[in-house]
Amino acid sequence: MRNKWLGSLALVCVTFMQFSCGGCNGGGSEDDIKFIPGDDVNTSEVNYNSDAMNEVIASFSSPVEMAALLKDSGVPFSTRYLVNPDQVKDYTSSFKKALGLGILSADLGYLNVYSKTSQILDYLVSIRGLTEDLKLGQFFDFQALKRLATSEDNIDSLQYMCVNSYQDMDEHLRNNQRSNLSALLVTGVWVESLYLITQVAKEQPSDQFKETIGEQKGILNNLLPILKIFKNTDKNFEELVQYLEELKEVLDVAKITVHVDENTQAREDGIIVQNEYSVVELSKEELQEIITTTEKIRNKIVK
Amino acid sequence: MKRLFILLVLAVLALASFTDKADAQCKQQLVYQCATQTEKAIYLRDFNTKLKRDSPDEETGMKWTVVLNKGTQYRFSLCAPDGFQEQVVLTLYDSEHPENSKPYGCTYDKVTKSDRKSFDFICNKTGMYYISIRFKPGEGGKKGCAVGILSFVGKSKS
C-alpha cells in the first residue's frame, strides 16, 4: 500500500517537473535555426521538429514594424489600405478567424503607429470577437484597450498593450499545441504588412520600398515550409499554400547578394552598424508583378 | 496516508501556481517598465526569462530567434530587478557572429567591464538573428528574471 502511494507521489512530482520545464521553455532552444535566404531553395525539402518550428514562427516580425517603417519614411496615412473590420464577422472556421486575426492585428498596428485612435475602436470590437471565438479572450483586455483608445494621450500605452496582447496570444497558441493557429496568425500579419508596403510602393515608388519588398522573399521561404507541414493534417492550408506558392514564384525573381564592407565600424554615437549588407536586384516590371500578385492574394484571403 | 498524499498534491499545486504567478508578475512589471523607457522608439517584442545558476560553469538563460529587416535601426534594451541587472547580459548574434566570440552587440563590455542598458543596431541584411539573455561569466547563484525589449528606432540613416 505504502509503495502504491509513493509511486503515485512520484508520478505527481514528475508531472509537476514536466509542467515547470514547459513553462520555462517559452521561446528559446539550443538548436540553431538556419534562415533560408532565398536563392535556389526547394522549400518542400525543409524539415522542422516542433520546437524548431515554433521558434521560426515566433521569430517573425511584429504587427507594427512595417507600419512604423512607412510612417518613418514620411508616407501619409490612408484607410484605403485597410480591411473593413466588419468583414471578419462572416468568418466561420478557426482557420479563417486566426488568419483574420493576424490581418486585423497588422491593421491595428498601422492605426496605432499613425495615432488614429478614433478609428481603432471598430478594429478592437472585431478583434475581440475573433479572440473570443478562438478562446484567446483572456489575452485581450477589450475594456482597458477601449479606455486607452478614447484619448490620443494614451497612444504609447495603447500601442504597447496591443503588441503585448498579440505576443501573448501567439505564445499561448504555440505553448498549447495550437501552432497551426499561431502560424496563421503570423501569416496574416505578414501578408497584410506586405500588402501595405506594396500598395505604398505602387503609389510612391522608392528604392527603399523596392528593397524591403524584394527581401520578403527570404521571409516567405521560411514561412512556407511551416504552412506545408500543416497542409498534411488540415486541408484548409492547401489553398493558402497554393496562394503563397504563387507569390513565391514572383518574389523568387528578386536577386539578393550579400557583400561585406570591411570599413564599417560602430559609429561614434555607439550605434552598431552591420558591416554585411544585402543588395536586391528587381526590375520595375518584376516589382509590378509582385505588387499585383500580393494584391490579388491578399484580397482572396480576406474575402 | 491518503490525507498526507492529498496534502502533498495540494502543496505541489500551490507551489506551481505561486511560481507561475511570480513569473507573470516579473514579466508584466519588467516588460512594461522596460518598454516604456525606450524614449521615442516603438516597442516591437519582448524576450523574458528566468535565470538561476547552481554552479559557475552551468550555462543559463535562453536564446530566441528574431527576424530583423534591412534598413532599420533597432534598439535592444535589457531590464532586470534591482540588484540583478549587473549580473545579466543581452547579446545579439548570428551563426557568422557567434555569441561568445564576435557577436554584433551586447549590453556588457568584457574589456572595460562596463554595462549599458541598451544598444542600437542598424540592420543591413534581412535575416534571422539570435538574442540571448544569460548570466555574465562568474555571476549568478541568485534566482531572478530578466527582460529584453526589441524596439524600432527608425529607418536607417547610415
Coordinates of all heavy atoms in Angstrom, one line a residue, chain B residues 94-147:
Chain B
D94 N 24.5 36.0 -34.7 CA 24.0 35.1 -35.6 C 25.1 34.0 -35.9 O 26.1 34.0 -35.2 CB 23.5 35.7 -37.0 CG 24.7 36.3 -37.8 OD1 25.8 36.1 -37.5 OD2 24.4 37.0 -38.8
S95 N 24.8 33.1 -36.8 CA 25.7 32.0 -37.0 C 27.1 32.4 -37.4 O 28.1 31.8 -37.1 CB 25.2 31.0 -38.0 OG 24.8 31.6 -39.1
E96 N 27.2 33.6 -38.1 CA 28.5 34.1 -38.6 C 29.2 35.0 -37.5 O 30.4 35.3 -37.6 CB 28.4 34.8 -39.9 CG 28.6 33.9 -41.1 CD 27.5 34.1 -42.1 OE1 27.2 35.2 -42.4 OE2 26.9 33.1 -42.5
H97 N 28.4 35.4 -36.6 CA 28.9 36.3 -35.5 C 28.5 35.6 -34.2 O 27.6 36.0 -33.5 CB 28.3 37.7 -35.6 CG 28.8 38.4 -36.8 ND1 28.2 38.2 -38.0 CD2 29.7 39.3 -37.0 CE1 28.8 38.9 -38.9 NE2 29.7 39.6 -38.3
P98 N 29.3 34.5 -33.8 CA 28.8 33.7 -32.6 C 28.8 34.5 -31.3 O 29.5 35.5 -31.1 CB 29.9 32.6 -32.6 CG 30.6 32.6 -33.9 CD 30.5 34.0 -34.4
E99 N 27.9 34.0 -30.5 CA 27.6 34.6 -29.2 C 28.9 34.9 -28.4 O 29.0 35.9 -27.8 CB 26.6 33.7 -28.4 CG 26.2 34.3 -27.1 CD 25.2 33.4 -26.4 OE1 25.0 32.2 -26.8 OE2 24.6 33.8 -25.5
N100 N 29.8 33.9 -28.3 CA 30.9 34.0 -27.4 C 32.2 34.6 -28.0 O 33.1 34.9 -27.3 CB 31.2 32.6 -26.8 CG 30.1 32.2 -26.0 OD1 29.5 33.0 -25.2 ND2 29.7 30.9 -26.1
S101 N 32.2 34.7 -29.4 CA 33.5 35.3 -29.9 C 33.3 36.6 -30.5 O 34.0 37.6 -30.2 CB 34.1 34.3 -30.9 OG 33.1 33.9 -31.9
K102 N 32.4 36.8 -31.5 CA 32.2 38.1 -32.1 C 30.7 38.5 -32.4 O 30.3 38.6 -33.5 CB 33.1 38.3 -33.3 CG 33.0 37.2 -34.3 CD 33.7 37.5 -35.6 CE 33.4 36.4 -36.7 NZ 33.9 36.7 -38.0
P103 N 30.0 38.6 -31.3 CA 28.6 39.0 -31.5 C 28.4 40.4 -32.1 O 29.4 41.2 -32.0 CB 28.0 38.9 -30.1 CG 29.1 39.2 -29.2 CD 30.3 38.6 -29.9
Y104 N 27.3 40.7 -32.7 CA 27.1 42.1 -33.2 C 27.1 43.1 -32.0 O 27.7 44.2 -32.2 CB 25.7 42.2 -33.9 CG 25.7 41.5 -35.2 CD1 24.9 40.3 -35.4 CD2 26.5 42.0 -36.3 CE1 24.9 39.7 -36.7 CE2 26.5 41.3 -37.5 CZ 25.7 40.2 -37.7 OH 25.7 39.6 -38.9
G105 N 26.5 42.7 -30.9 CA 26.4 43.7 -29.8 C 26.0 43.0 -28.6 O 25.4 42.0 -28.6
C106 N 26.4 43.6 -27.4 CA 25.8 43.1 -26.2 C 25.8 44.2 -25.1 O 26.4 45.3 -25.3 CB 26.6 41.9 -25.7 SG 28.2 42.1 -25.1
T107 N 25.1 44.0 -24.1 CA 24.9 45.1 -23.1 C 26.1 45.1 -22.1 O 26.1 45.9 -21.2 CB 23.6 44.9 -22.3 OG1 23.6 43.6 -21.7 CG2 22.4 45.1 -23.2
Y108 N 27.1 44.2 -22.2 CA 28.2 44.2 -21.3 C 29.5 44.2 -22.1 O 29.7 43.3 -23.0 CB 28.1 43.0 -20.4 CG 29.3 42.8 -19.5 CD1 29.6 43.7 -18.5 CD2 30.1 41.6 -19.6 CE1 30.7 43.5 -17.7 CE2 31.2 41.5 -18.8 CZ 31.5 42.4 -17.8 OH 32.6 42.2 -17.0
D109 N 30.4 45.1 -21.8 CA 31.7 45.2 -22.5 C 32.7 44.4 -21.6 O 33.1 44.9 -20.5 CB 32.1 46.6 -22.7 CG 33.4 46.8 -23.6 OD1 34.2 45.9 -23.5 OD2 33.5 47.7 -24.3
K110 N 33.2 43.3 -22.1 CA 34.1 42.4 -21.3 C 35.4 43.2 -21.1 O 36.1 43.0 -20.1 CB 34.4 41.1 -22.1 CG 33.3 40.1 -22.0 CD 33.7 38.9 -22.8 CE 32.5 38.0 -23.0 NZ 32.7 36.9 -24.0
V111 N 35.9 44.0 -22.0 CA 37.1 44.7 -21.9 C 37.1 45.8 -20.8 O 37.9 45.8 -19.9 CB 37.6 45.3 -23.3 CG1 38.9 46.0 -23.1 CG2 37.6 44.2 -24.3
T112 N 36.1 46.6 -20.9 CA 36.0 47.7 -20.0 C 35.2 47.3 -18.7 O 35.2 48.1 -17.8 CB 35.4 49.0 -20.6 OG1 34.0 48.6 -21.0 CG2 36.2 49.5 -21.8
K113 N 34.7 46.2 -18.8 CA 33.8 45.7 -17.7 C 32.7 46.7 -17.4 O 32.4 46.9 -16.2 CB 34.6 45.3 -16.4 CG 35.6 44.2 -16.7 CD 36.1 43.7 -15.3 CE 37.2 42.6 -15.5 NZ 36.9 41.5 -16.4
S114 N 32.1 47.2 -18.4 CA 31.0 48.2 -18.2 C 29.7 47.7 -18.8 O 29.7 47.0 -19.8 CB 31.4 49.6 -18.8 OG 31.7 49.4 -20.1
D115 N 28.6 48.1 -18.1 CA 27.3 47.7 -18.6 C 26.6 48.9 -19.3 O 26.9 50.0 -19.0 CB 26.4 47.4 -17.4 CG 26.9 46.1 -16.7 OD1 26.8 45.0 -17.4 OD2 27.3 46.1 -15.6
R116 N 25.7 48.5 -20.2 CA 24.8 49.6 -20.7 C 23.5 48.9 -20.8 O 23.3 47.7 -21.0 CB 25.3 50.1 -22.1 CG 25.6 49.0 -23.1 CD 26.1 49.7 -24.4 NE 26.6 48.7 -25.3 CZ 26.9 48.9 -26.6 NH1 26.8 50.1 -27.1 NH2 27.4 48.0 -27.4
K117 N 22.5 49.8 -20.6 CA 21.1 49.2 -20.5 C 20.6 48.9 -21.9 O 19.7 48.0 -22.0 CB 20.2 50.3 -19.9 CG 20.2 50.3 -18.4 CD 19.1 51.1 -17.8 CE 19.0 50.9 -16.3 NZ 17.9 51.7 -15.7
S118 N 21.1 49.5 -22.9 CA 20.6 49.2 -24.3 C 21.7 49.5 -25.3 O 22.7 50.2 -25.0 CB 19.4 50.1 -24.6 OG 19.8 51.4 -24.6
F119 N 21.5 49.0 -26.5 CA 22.3 49.4 -27.7 C 21.5 49.4 -28.9 O 20.5 48.8 -29.0 CB 23.6 48.5 -27.8 CG 23.2 47.1 -28.1 CD1 23.0 46.6 -29.4 CD2 23.2 46.1 -27.1 CE1 22.7 45.3 -29.7 CE2 22.8 44.8 -27.3 CZ 22.6 44.4 -28.6
D120 N 21.9 50.3 -29.9 CA 21.2 50.4 -31.1 C 22.0 49.6 -32.2 O 23.2 49.6 -32.2 CB 21.0 51.8 -31.6 CG 19.9 52.5 -30.8 OD1 19.5 52.0 -29.8 OD2 19.5 53.6 -31.2
F121 N 21.2 49.0 -33.1 CA 21.8 48.2 -34.2 C 21.2 48.6 -35.5 O 19.9 48.5 -35.6 CB 21.6 46.7 -33.9 CG 22.0 45.8 -34.9 CD1 23.4 45.5 -35.2 CD2 21.1 45.0 -35.7 CE1 23.8 44.6 -36.2 CE2 21.5 44.2 -36.7 CZ 22.9 44.0 -36.9
I122 N 22.0 48.9 -36.5 CA 21.5 49.2 -37.8 C 21.6 47.9 -38.6 O 22.7 47.5 -38.9 CB 22.2 50.4 -38.5 CG1 21.8 51.7 -37.7 CG2 21.8 50.5 -39.9 CD1 22.5 52.9 -38.2
C123 N 20.5 47.4 -39.0 CA 20.5 46.1 -39.8 C 20.6 46.4 -41.3 O 19.8 47.2 -41.8 CB 19.2 45.4 -39.5 SG 19.0 43.8 -40.4
N124 N 21.6 45.8 -41.9 CA 21.8 46.0 -43.3 C 21.5 44.7 -44.2 O 21.8 44.7 -45.3 CB 23.2 46.4 -43.6 CG 23.4 47.9 -43.2 OD1 22.5 48.7 -43.3 ND2 24.6 48.2 -42.7
K125 N 21.0 43.7 -43.5 CA 20.7 42.4 -44.2 C 19.5 41.8 -43.5 O 19.6 41.4 -42.3 CB 21.9 41.6 -44.1 CG 21.9 40.3 -44.8 CD 23.1 39.4 -44.6 CE 23.2 38.9 -43.2 NZ 24.2 37.9 -42.9
T126 N 18.4 41.6 -44.2 CA 17.2 41.0 -43.6 C 17.6 39.5 -43.4 O 18.2 38.8 -44.2 CB 16.0 41.0 -44.6 OG1 15.7 42.4 -44.8 CG2 14.8 40.3 -44.1
G127 N 17.2 39.0 -42.2 CA 17.5 37.6 -41.9 C 17.1 37.3 -40.5 O 16.5 38.1 -39.7
M128 N 17.5 36.1 -40.1 CA 17.2 35.6 -38.8 C 18.4 35.8 -37.8 O 19.5 35.3 -38.2 CB 16.8 34.1 -38.8 CG 15.7 33.8 -37.9 SD 15.2 32.1 -38.2 CE 13.7 32.4 -39.1
Y129 N 18.2 36.4 -36.7 CA 19.3 36.7 -35.8 C 18.9 36.0 -34.4 O 17.7 35.6 -34.3 CB 19.5 38.2 -35.6 CG 19.9 38.9 -36.9 CD1 19.0 39.2 -37.9 CD2 21.2 39.2 -37.1 CE1 19.4 39.8 -39.1 CE2 21.6 39.8 -38.3 CZ 20.7 40.1 -39.3 OH 21.1 40.6 -40.5
Y130 N 19.8 36.0 -33.5 CA 19.6 35.5 -32.2 C 19.8 36.5 -31.1 O 20.7 37.3 -31.2 CB 20.5 34.3 -31.9 CG 20.4 33.2 -32.9 CD1 21.4 33.0 -33.9 CD2 19.3 32.3 -32.8 CE1 21.2 32.0 -34.8 CE2 19.2 31.3 -33.8 CZ 20.2 31.1 -34.7 OH 20.1 30.1 -35.7
I131 N 18.9 36.4 -30.1 CA 19.0 37.2 -28.9 C 19.2 36.3 -27.8 O 18.5 35.3 -27.7 CB 17.7 38.0 -28.6 CG1 17.2 38.7 -29.8 CG2 17.9 38.9 -27.4 CD1 18.0 39.9 -30.2
S132 N 20.2 36.5 -26.9 CA 20.3 35.7 -25.7 C 20.3 36.6 -24.5 O 20.8 37.7 -24.5 CB 21.5 34.8 -25.7 OG 22.7 35.6 -25.6
I133 N 19.8 36.0 -23.4 CA 19.9 36.7 -22.1 C 20.5 35.7 -21.1 O 19.9 34.6 -20.9 CB 18.6 37.3 -21.6 CG1 18.0 38.3 -22.5 CG2 18.8 37.9 -20.2 CD1 16.6 38.9 -22.1
R134 N 21.7 35.9 -20.6 CA 22.3 35.0 -19.7 C 23.0 35.7 -18.6 O 23.2 36.9 -18.6 CB 23.4 34.2 -20.5 CG 22.8 33.5 -21.7 CD 23.8 32.5 -22.3 NE 23.5 32.1 -23.6 CZ 22.6 31.1 -23.9 NH1 21.9 30.5 -23.0 NH2 22.3 30.8 -25.2
F135 N 23.5 34.9 -17.6 CA 24.4 35.4 -16.6 C 25.7 35.8 -17.2 O 26.2 35.1 -18.1 CB 24.6 34.4 -15.5 CG 23.5 34.3 -14.4 CD1 22.9 33.2 -14.2 CD2 23.3 35.5 -13.7 CE1 21.9 33.1 -13.2 CE2 22.3 35.4 -12.7 CZ 21.6 34.2 -12.4
K136 N 26.3 36.8 -16.7 CA 27.7 37.1 -17.1 C 28.6 36.0 -16.6 O 28.3 35.3 -15.6 CB 28.2 38.4 -16.5 CG 27.6 39.6 -17.0 CD 28.1 40.8 -16.3 CE 27.4 42.0 -16.5 NZ 27.7 43.1 -15.6
P137 N 29.8 35.8 -17.2 CA 30.7 34.8 -16.7 C 31.0 35.0 -15.2 O 31.3 36.2 -14.8 CB 32.0 34.9 -17.5 CG 31.5 35.7 -18.7 CD 30.3 36.5 -18.4
G138 N 30.9 34.0 -14.4 CA 31.3 34.1 -13.0 C 30.2 34.7 -12.1 O 30.3 34.6 -10.9
E139 N 29.1 35.2 -12.7 CA 28.0 35.7 -11.9 C 26.9 34.6 -11.7 O 27.0 33.6 -12.3 CB 27.3 36.9 -12.7 CG 28.2 38.1 -12.8 CD 28.4 38.9 -11.6 OE1 27.7 38.6 -10.6 OE2 29.2 39.9 -11.6
G140 N 26.0 34.9 -10.9 CA 24.9 34.0 -10.7 C 24.8 33.5 -9.3 O 25.6 33.9 -8.4
G141 N 24.0 32.5 -9.1 CA 23.8 32.0 -7.8 C 22.4 32.4 -7.2 O 21.8 31.6 -6.5
K142 N 22.0 33.6 -7.6 CA 20.7 34.1 -7.2 C 19.7 33.8 -8.3 O 20.0 34.0 -9.4 CB 20.9 35.6 -7.0 CG 19.9 36.2 -6.0 CD 20.4 37.6 -5.6 CE 19.5 38.6 -6.2 NZ 19.9 40.0 -5.9
K143 N 18.5 33.5 -7.9 CA 17.4 33.3 -8.8 C 16.8 34.6 -9.2 O 16.5 35.4 -8.3 CB 16.4 32.3 -8.2 CG 15.4 31.7 -9.2 CD 14.5 30.8 -8.5 CE 13.4 30.4 -9.4 NZ 12.3 29.6 -8.8
G144 N 16.5 34.8 -10.5 CA 15.9 36.0 -10.8 C 15.3 36.0 -12.2 O 15.3 34.9 -12.9
C145 N 14.8 37.1 -12.7 CA 14.3 37.1 -14.0 C 14.8 38.4 -14.8 O 15.3 39.3 -14.2 CB 12.7 37.2 -14.0 SG 12.1 38.7 -13.2
A146 N 14.8 38.3 -16.1 CA 15.2 39.5 -16.9 C 14.4 39.5 -18.1 O 13.9 38.5 -18.6 CB 16.7 39.3 -17.2
V147 N 14.3 40.8 -18.7 CA 13.5 41.0 -19.9 C 14.3 41.8 -20.9 O 15.0 42.8 -20.5 CB 12.2 41.8 -19.5 CG1 11.6 42.4 -20.7 CG2 11.2 40.9 -18.7

